[in-house]
Amino acid sequence: MTVRTSLFSILILLLLNSCKRNSGNATITVDTIETETPVIEPVKNETVYEGLLPCADCQGILTNLMLQGDSSTYFLTETYLGSGKPDSVFLRSGTYTTLTAADSITALVQLSAVKESGPLYFEISGDTALIRLDMNAKRIQGNLNYTLIRQSR
């Protein structure tokens, strides 16, 4: 068993043990991507960002993104809340890169592609937040909050 598989297994066990409020009611989908993406400027050590992102047909998507700087690996957990049925939990992992946007100023985090969709993009907003971007790495228009806040350890 590889280190990556071991870490992912531990993450799943911790997630399942910590979600006691919905025990037996959650749907879990796991999607792991192996990629060969070059690292430009990795985030140091392990950094966790959390937030409640907008959802078209539910109360919100509770999002937890863990970036591991030593290995440039990410773990993304998205929990769809209040859709009238049990909460659905989606787990993804893969590699990430940090890069500079076309304006040569904005720093981005690009999560490796997921099976049926392209990569996910987040704008680095200071030292404390990431802002979810659209599939073209542009800000999502409107008044909704797409911010994930860095969690202290």
Side-chain angles (χ1 to χ4, degrees), residues 60-129:
I61 305 168
L62 183 58
T63 304
N64 178 291
L65 175 60
M66 180 192 323
L67 302 175
Q68 294 183 330
D70 297 341
S71 62
S72 295
T73 302
Y74 76 85
F75 297 96
L76 177 66
T77 305
E78 297 173 303
T79 305
Y80 287 72
L81 304 173
S83 62
K85 51 188 169 189
D87 294 347
S88 295
V89 178
F90 295 91
L91 304 173
R92 298 179 182 157
S93 68
T95 58
Y96 72 91
T97 58
T98 55
L99 44 99
T100 304
D103 65 9
S104 300
I105 298 170
T106 308
L108 304 177
V109 173
Q110 176 185 354
L111 305 185
S112 58
V114 184
K115 286 183 184 177
E116 286 82 28
S117 64
L120 299 177
Y121 295 99
F122 292 86
E123 177 182 323
I124 300 172
S125 179
D127 292 335
T128 60

Side-chain angles (χ1 to χ4, degrees), residues 13 33 39 41 52-53 61 85 89 94 118 127 129 136 149:
L13 289 173
I33 306 295
V39 177
E41 295 175 30
L52 186 64
L53 301 182
I61 305 168
K85 51 188 169 189
V89 178
D127 292 335
N136 298 312
I149 303 298

Side-chain angles (χ1 to χ4, degrees), residues 15-28 62 79-82 85-89:
L15 178 68
L16 292 174
N17 282 334
S18 67
C19 294
K20 299 212 186 272
R21 72 176 180 92
N22 289 323
S23 60
N25 293 339
T27 302
I28 298 177
L62 183 58
T79 305
Y80 287 72
L81 304 173
K85 51 188 169 189
D87 294 347
S88 295
V89 178

